[in-house]
Amino acid sequence: MSTETIAAIATAAGAAGIGIIRVSGAEALAVADRVFAAASGTPLAETPGGRAVYGRIVDDRAATVDEAIALVMRAPHSYTTEDVVELQCHGGSTVLRRVLGLVLAHGARLAACGEFTKRAFLGGRLDLSQAQAVMDVVSARTDRALAVAESHLAGHFSGEIKAMRDRCLALIAHLEAAIDFPEDDIDDVATAEVERAVTEMRGALRRLLATAHTGRILHDGLLTAIVGKPNVGKSSLLNALLREERAIVTDIPGTTRDSIEETADLGGVPLRIIDTAGIRETSDTVERIGVAKAREYVEKAALVLALFDGSQPFTDEDREILSLIDGKQAIVLLNKADLEQVVTEKEIRQALSSQTASSSLPILSISTKDERGFDALTKAITRIAGVTETPEASYVTNERDIAILRTADEHLRAALATIARGLSPDFISIDLRSAWETLGEITGETATEDLIDEIFSRFCIGK
């Protein structure tokens, strides 16, 4: 671990009541003492850990820069496991830059992206999976996503991985005993026990991998396109889902010419919603570009909300919308349920009957005016996302972990194939050790320095 003392602004940019400068390292207290004058006159270097001290930030001429509170945390009882001082100032960007400049001028260097959390990892306070969960907590878009991130931060996911690694080591030791003491004739017994255990471990890995679909949605959001012809209520639906007037709503067809992307929380599922331009034939150059973009977003979306005006007769333009969602994960919505309905679910089903891949799509009646049918819509989306009322503590939420689990499962599959071929315990042990090393990349126990650096480089400065 680096012995340099680092510092950075730890709060988001912009005006706020409080802004924090975090300083960590062997000289953190000494550096802070050069810029902070305690009202009591007691230096921070003489202040016990876990104390908050009121005082002033001063420049080289002892002029007051800001009033502040210094929080003192002594190693190893801090986030980074090093001595840490957090200077709580007023939250203006100018004053924070000024204070940070003073801290850097008096012995600290600017922290790299994620360096505070990297030091927590290197100091043994967090494993690599928990460290990654820190940013998941910061970036969580819904309460359910936050619950999953906090579960990872608490070590539930990495605990399962460590348990698998411990079991792999126990199996390796069992096999090596059979190799070292051939006169005891325990090869067959050891191999049979290993086969049962490896089969169970593969089952546990498969169960974890089965959570990947939901985990990625909770982590990244479900890319959702709202599509329909002009004036069916697409922008009204966006506004209702966001619970704010984000898109312009008028009675004039073609109001939305470009695509709008926002994130909404629907039943704990973060929806990255794109409100597209109404799809129709048009001579307007700008609107035509918007329609082309709408078609592109339908292709890219993981979920399509196909919206139709249930109070107006079904048209050829509506049938074209249905053709766009053929083979897509979609929900058909009959809007304006508060008005007398002209289009029925049966008519939509008949129109979909020629599209084998789409014939069983859910069809819901809604009203963006009074939010009729929104509970059913929420249930349909959470079902598609795979989210349950009582989610498991452990979800696989990123591509790196998914790839590692698949590789580990392949090593375990190879171990079973080796057993089936009747090869000696030496070869089985090699496959198990490969699985053990692969799983260690999740917790960081066998991760390379380059990989660790790459992971923490994705963090924000100050975290």
Side-chain angles (χ1 to χ4, degrees):
M1 186 186 297
S2 172
T3 58
E4 293 179 293
T5 296
I6 57 174
I9 299 172
T11 43
I18 295 174
I20 297 174
I21 307 293
R22 177 181 282 166
V23 188
S24 179
E27 296 297 313
L29 294 166
V31 169
D33 269 330
R34 294 172 194 140
V35 303
F36 180 81
S40 65
T42 303
L44 296 178
E46 298 175 15
T47 301
R51 298 290 178 86
V53 181
Y54 170 72
R56 299 175 298 124
I57 302 293
V58 295
D59 62 17
D60 294 339
R61 296 170 296 179
T64 298
V65 175
D66 194 16
E67 287 185 299
I69 292 175
L71 300 180
V72 177
M73 292 159 274
R74 290 185 175 271
H77 306 295
S78 72
Y79 181 68
T80 62
T81 72
E82 304 172 322
D83 284 345
V84 171
V85 177
E86 290 189 352
L87 299 172
Q88 293 193 358
C89 312
H90 289 97
S93 57
T94 300
V95 68
L96 285 174
R97 286 198 303 268
R98 180 91 181 276
V99 175
L100 178 60
L102 288 170
V103 170
L104 298 179
H106 286 88
R109 71 159 171 82
L110 185 64
C113 294
E115 190 167 2
F116 292 102
T117 303
K118 183 179 180 181
R119 291 188 177 200
F121 164 69
L122 295 174
R125 184 179 176 276
L126 304 170
D127 62 38
L128 193 55
S129 176
Q130 290 174 299
Q132 288 182 278
V134 170
M135 283 309 299
D136 292 345
V137 168
V138 173
S139 60
R141 310 181 199 196
T142 68
D143 286 344
R144 199 178 290 266
L146 177 60
V148 172
E150 287 178 336
S151 173
H152 278 233
L153 183 58
H156 293 151
F157 175 63
S158 55
E160 291 195 37
I161 300 303
K162 288 173 182 176
M164 287 185 196
R165 296 190 79 231
D166 289 344
R167 195 166 190 189
C168 276
L169 275 184
L171 294 176
I172 291 167
H174 199 44
L175 288 169
E176 290 181 350
I179 296 168
D180 293 340
F181 302 100
E183 66 277 6
D184 291 340
D185 197 25
I186 61 173
D187 279 23
D188 292 341
V189 175
T191 300
E193 290 178 0
V194 168
E195 185 174 19
R196 283 194 297 272
V198 170
T199 300
E200 290 174 4
M201 287 174 61
R202 287 198 75 196
L205 277 176
R206 297 271 178 95
R207 285 191 291 275
L208 277 177
L209 284 168
T211 70
H213 171 70
T214 301
R216 280 181 294 187
I217 288 173
L218 293 175
H219 184 271
D220 301 327
L222 184 64
L223 186 61
T224 305
I226 302 175
V227 63
K229 67 183 184 182
N231 231 32
V232 295
K234 297 186 300 302
S235 296
S236 295
L237 177 60
L238 174 67
N239 290 341
L241 293 175
L242 295 176
R243 302 196 178 282
E244 65 174 277
E245 296 300 313
R246 174 63 181 85
I248 298 172
V249 177
T250 74
D251 293 329
I252 304 170
T255 305
T256 302
R257 297 187 170 203
D258 202 353
S259 300
I260 301 171
E261 181 173 345
E262 293 288 345
T263 299
D265 177 355
L266 210 65
V269 179
L271 295 186
R272 292 164 48 207
I273 305 176
I274 303 168
D275 176 22
T276 64
I279 295 178
R280 66 171 178 177
E281 291 297 326
T282 176
S283 58
D284 185 292
T285 302
V286 176
E287 189 180 354
R288 194 161 57 243
I289 293 171
V291 171
K293 280 188 176 182
R295 294 176 183 274
E296 291 176 12
Y297 280 120
V298 170
E299 286 300 314
K300 294 193 320 188
L303 172 65
V304 180
L305 301 180
L307 198 62
F308 302 90
D309 185 346
S311 68
Q312 298 294 324
F314 207 63
T315 67
D316 289 340
E317 287 179 334
D318 290 319
R319 290 184 177 83
E320 183 184 357
I321 302 299
L322 288 180
S323 70
L324 287 178
I325 63 173
D326 189 17
K328 298 288 296 181
Q329 181 73 67
I331 301 174
V332 176
L333 300 175
L334 292 177
N335 190 25
K336 305 186 182 181
D338 52 298
L339 302 176
E340 184 179 349
Q341 296 295 282
V342 175
V343 181
T344 64
E345 178 179 342
K346 182 179 180 181
E347 187 175 0
I348 298 291
R349 288 278 176 222
Q350 288 176 341
L352 286 171
S353 62
S354 61
Q355 301 174 191
T356 306
S358 303
S359 57
S360 60
L361 290 179
I363 301 173
L364 304 176
S365 180
I366 67 166
S367 168
T368 57
K369 184 176 181 179
D370 59 18
E371 297 192 5
R372 192 179 310 177
F374 274 45
D375 286 345
L377 176 58
T378 299
K379 289 178 182 177
I381 288 175
T382 54
R383 187 164 54 249
I384 288 169
V387 173
T388 63
E389 290 299 318
T390 54
E392 297 176 57
S394 296
Y395 279 94
V396 188
T397 58
N398 64 69
E399 293 293 342
R400 188 184 81 90
D401 289 349
I402 293 169
I404 290 171
L405 291 176
R406 284 176 176 159
T407 301
D409 182 57
E410 182 59 27
H411 288 308
L412 293 179
R413 186 203 62 76
L416 291 177
T418 300
I419 293 170
R421 290 164 61 191
L423 298 180
S424 73
D426 307 65
F427 295 100
I428 306 169
S429 181
I430 290 171
D431 292 326
L432 290 177
R433 189 165 293 279
S434 295
W436 175 82
E437 290 177 350
T438 299
L439 290 171
E441 293 178 22
I442 290 178
T443 58
E445 292 162 285
T446 59
T448 64
E449 186 175 343
D450 287 344
L451 175 61
I452 291 168
D453 288 342
E454 194 272 332
I455 288 172
F456 285 106
S457 70
R458 302 175 192 168
F459 282 49
C460 57
I461 293 176
K463 200 63 189 168

